[in-house]
Amino acid sequence: MYEPDMQLAATAVETAKKIVASAIVEMKNSGIDANQVVAYDLAHAASGVEAAKAMITYGANGAIEARLACAFIAEVAGDLVSRAFGRESLWGINENQLETLHDFVRRFRDPNYVSSLANQMGPTHLDVDFELVRDTFRKFAQDQIAPLADEIHRKNLDVPESIISGLGEMGAFGLSIPEEYGGFSTGNENDYLAMVIATEELSRCSLASGGSLITRPEILARALLRGGTQAQKEYWLPKLASGEIMAAVAVTEPDYGSDVAGLTTSAVRTEGGWLLNGVKTWCTFGARADVLMVLARTDPDRSKAHRGLSLFIVPKPHGDSGGFLFEQASADGAPAKMEGRPIDTIGYRGMHSYEIAIENWFVANENLVGEDSGLGRGFYYQMEGFENGRIQTAARAVGIMQAAYESAVVYAQNRKVFGAPIIDYQLSQYKLGKMAAIIQASRQLAYQVCILMAKGEGALEASMVKAYVCRAAEWVTREAMQIHGGMGYAEEFPVSRLFLDARVLSIFEGADETLSLKVIARKLIDSIS
């Protein structure tokens, strides 16, 4: 069996980076819209290479780390070659460039090599403070969330208030809110790391009833930090940090999903504020939330697209998860209401998603993020929040993958087929070894993106980690479910819930196709302009 070779791994990563760079130049010349398939593949290949770069750093820490790094980098290189094979001219490369990766891939994609990693997850290399964060949230998740997770999923129940209040008491909602506003952020390079670690641990036990509870407060908090007035920050951020108020995000519309620039929900000036009219959909946690973060068109000139959008914080009562209707007194006696209809989903249950119709709903001017200086800036404030949401979504994916992997290892050790435990078979070992490498690479990439974001950088990398890790979670949970055989299809094993929950990750916080074509591919091209 081959021994890990980090120098060879670094050479492979450099070669892969050059191949991606050539493809970016070709894409710039040919155009994304005319070559969407290649642009999509390029976005994912580039995201994989970014994860491979993170594993070069990780692999320098020890023998197990190096073994995992080589296996993962070989997987990324093999994927890159398969995407470009037969399309070399579209990628702007020649066959010899692909061939240079062959020897490395041959060594470290070898089935026996990958199989040897079946039960070798490797250490995370967190310092003692963040180990404490991990242990604290892991214990809370195991004690408070895990016993309820399957029942919440099967019966489509609400997230218990005990979980929400418990996380609030732990400070989970203020992990990346500055200390001056009641949070725990200190302005150093590790500001996002605690949030990512906590999210992973909560998501290991439940996506909807754990890790996702942090997402919406994070998105609204980042938007406020980017564009809110000082008074708005001082009023809203401490309430978000403590969990006194819970937020939901109302951006998507029935006819406009990722195409945010086309939104039609309107906000028209009236005495003392604005009247909102329109329909929002996929508003997760919309019933329980105390406020909605609503993106609305304040400039009726639709030709201004995203430049005519503004962001509002819209207070509302708690609603019933089965649907709600709120009415509001209006000055002229005209109907003013907010009505929510739940959207049933195959997974991600507990928080519930809604289509919300808003009619003549009054919002005070002080609830326009940035007030008058925020007019037409809502799209940018919202995107600031969504970048935060993407790194957090990647952490959710890592938590789901870790839980699926652990479940698969235990099942494979105990389930016998043809006279031997499943884990004794090479195919099972290969799947588990590949999972271990992918999960650790996903985790290490998330950690590195956290550091970039804390510096005010990493917008591209946040999108890349979201794209790569969420697709990876689909494969990991599927194969973990497959290792369980027929029992993987049974609700009594949590792996079936993990599989269903993983499927949503490539859809929300930026659908995979839109994220790849409109964000990652475009930013890659812009990087060489």
Side-chain angles (χ1 to χ4, degrees):
M1 186 182 299
Y2 298 106
E3 290 300 315
D5 187 331
M6 289 309 299
Q7 184 173 352
L8 197 60
T11 301
V13 171
E14 285 302 312
T15 301
K17 285 168 59 179
K18 290 177 181 177
I19 292 172
V20 167
S22 296
I24 294 170
V25 172
E26 181 64 26
M27 186 59 58
K28 181 181 179 181
N29 294 333
S30 60
I32 293 173
D33 290 337
N35 295 279
Q36 288 190 344
V37 172
V38 174
Y40 177 82
D41 280 348
L42 172 59
H44 274 276
S47 300
V49 172
E50 197 67 26
K53 287 165 56 182
M55 286 301 272
I56 291 293
T57 303
Y58 179 76
N61 288 309
I64 292 175
E65 294 89 337
R67 293 181 65 80
L68 287 164
C70 286
F72 179 76
I73 293 165
E75 185 63 33
V76 167
D79 177 70
L80 173 59
V81 170
S82 69
R83 290 179 187 273
F85 185 74
R87 298 173 176 172
E88 290 86 358
S89 63
L90 297 175
W91 282 65
I93 58 178
N94 58 59
E95 294 181 10
N96 291 335
Q97 285 178 287
L98 299 181
E99 183 62 27
T100 58
L101 292 170
H102 182 270
D103 185 56
F104 183 81
V105 173
R106 177 182 61 81
R107 292 190 192 189
F108 298 111
R109 245 184 143 187
D110 178 270
N112 288 326
Y113 180 86
V114 178
S115 296
S116 71
L117 301 171
N119 204 8
Q120 298 287 334
M121 175 56 67
T124 58
H125 291 289
L126 294 170
D127 68 28
V128 64
D129 289 339
F130 290 106
E131 289 279 5
L132 180 60
V133 172
R134 185 187 67 181
D135 293 346
T136 300
F137 280 94
R138 179 174 294 182
K139 186 177 190 308
F140 178 86
Q142 290 174 339
D143 292 348
Q144 303 299 322
I145 298 175
L148 306 173
D150 284 327
E151 184 180 19
I152 290 170
H153 168 73
R154 291 186 207 176
K155 298 181 180 179
N156 202 20
L157 303 177
D158 298 336
V159 178
E161 289 296 320
S162 60
I163 293 177
I164 297 172
S165 61
L167 289 174
E169 291 171 5
M170 295 173 68
F173 304 121
L175 290 171
S176 58
I177 292 176
E179 288 181 329
E180 62 188 289
Y181 301 116
F184 294 93
S185 172
T186 59
N188 65 39
E189 68 175 15
N190 292 322
D191 271 354
Y192 289 84
L193 191 53
M195 178 267 290
V196 162
I197 293 167
T199 298
E200 178 187 337
E201 294 305 324
L202 295 171
S203 299
R204 283 177 70 236
C205 291
S206 173
L207 176 66
S209 303
S212 288
L213 283 168
I214 301 177
T215 309
R216 271 138 290 278
E218 286 280 345
I219 291 174
L220 178 53
R222 296 311 301 178
L224 279 165
L225 287 168
R226 168 72 183 273
T229 65
Q230 187 60 32
Q232 288 172 338
K233 294 174 186 177
E234 291 175 357
Y235 181 80
W236 292 108
L237 290 175
K239 296 178 185 297
L240 288 169
S242 68
E244 178 183 342
I245 64 167
M246 298 298 293
V249 176
V251 171
T252 302
E253 295 182 5
D255 294 325
Y256 298 96
S258 298
D259 182 16
V260 174
L263 297 183
T264 61
T265 294
S266 65
V268 178
R269 277 195 187 273
T270 188
E271 184 177 353
W274 302 79
L275 291 180
L276 269 59
N277 284 275
V279 178
K280 296 293 185 179
T281 193
W282 296 115
C283 182
T284 302
F285 214 46
R288 167 60 180 81
D290 301 283
V291 297
L292 304 180
M293 188 183 96
V294 178
L295 189 63
R297 187 167 296 284
T298 48
D299 192 323
D301 183 355
R302 292 181 57 78
S303 68
K304 292 186 178 179
H306 62 272
R307 293 184 300 278
L309 302 173
S310 302
L311 198 62
F312 293 85
I313 301 174
V314 182
K316 56 170 285 297
H318 290 183
D320 187 275
S321 61
F324 56 86
L325 173 62
F326 305 130
E327 295 182 340
Q328 187 185 66
S330 61
D332 59 2
K337 61 184 180 180
M338 178 187 294
E339 185 172 5
R341 175 186 67 84
I343 303 171
D344 290 333
T345 56
I346 61 173
Y348 195 44
R349 294 174 174 170
M351 301 191 78
H352 311 292
S353 291
Y354 297 85
E355 181 175 275
I356 299 179
I358 303 170
E359 183 179 350
N360 294 325
W361 194 266
F362 175 80
V363 183
N365 193 62
E366 63 193 30
N367 285 19
L368 166 62
V369 175
E371 296 193 8
D372 284 352
S373 64
L375 284 172
R377 303 288 300 169
F379 173 80
Y380 305 102
Y381 302 158
Q382 168 240 303
M383 288 304 296
E384 180 86 6
F386 274 26
E387 285 172 10
N388 209 48
R390 285 169 184 159
I391 181 63
Q392 212 240 356
T393 297
R396 288 186 279 180
V398 173
I400 289 174
M401 285 193 284
Q402 185 68 38
Y405 166 78
E406 291 172 0
S407 180
V409 168
V410 171
Y411 191 84
Q413 289 171 335
N414 291 285
R415 171 66 169 160
K416 289 186 176 181
V417 175
F418 303 115
I422 294 172
I423 203 166
D424 287 354
Y425 295 105
Q426 186 195 54
L427 183 56
S428 299
Q429 293 172 359
Y430 181 86
K431 289 181 177 182
L432 292 169
K434 184 176 173 181
M435 286 182 204
I438 287 173
I439 294 167
Q440 193 59 258
S442 299
R443 179 181 290 117
Q444 296 301 318
L445 177 57
Y447 290 172
Q448 290 203 5
V449 174
C450 283
I451 294 173
L452 289 174
M453 292 182 68
K455 296 176 181 178
E457 305 168 6
L460 170 59
E461 290 82 1
S463 296
M464 294 172 90
V465 68
K466 196 270 183 186
Y468 182 83
V469 177
C470 292
R471 285 297 301 272
E474 292 183 41
W475 181 85
V476 168
T477 55
R478 181 200 181 280
E479 293 304 324
M481 188 178 184
Q482 190 71 22
I483 286 172
H484 283 74
M487 296 312 296
Y489 202 63
E491 286 193 328
E492 65 184 89
F493 279 81
V495 73
S496 63
R497 167 172 54 84
L498 298 172
F499 173 72
L500 290 172
D501 284 351
R503 186 61 194 89
V504 76
L505 296 172
S506 290
I507 297 173
F508 62 23
E509 310 295 349
D512 186 48
E513 294 76 11
T514 301
L515 190 64
S516 296
L517 298 178
K518 301 295 185 180
V519 180
I520 298 174
R522 285 186 176 179
K523 285 183 179 291
L524 288 172
I525 289 174
D526 290 344
S527 71
I528 62 168
S529 298

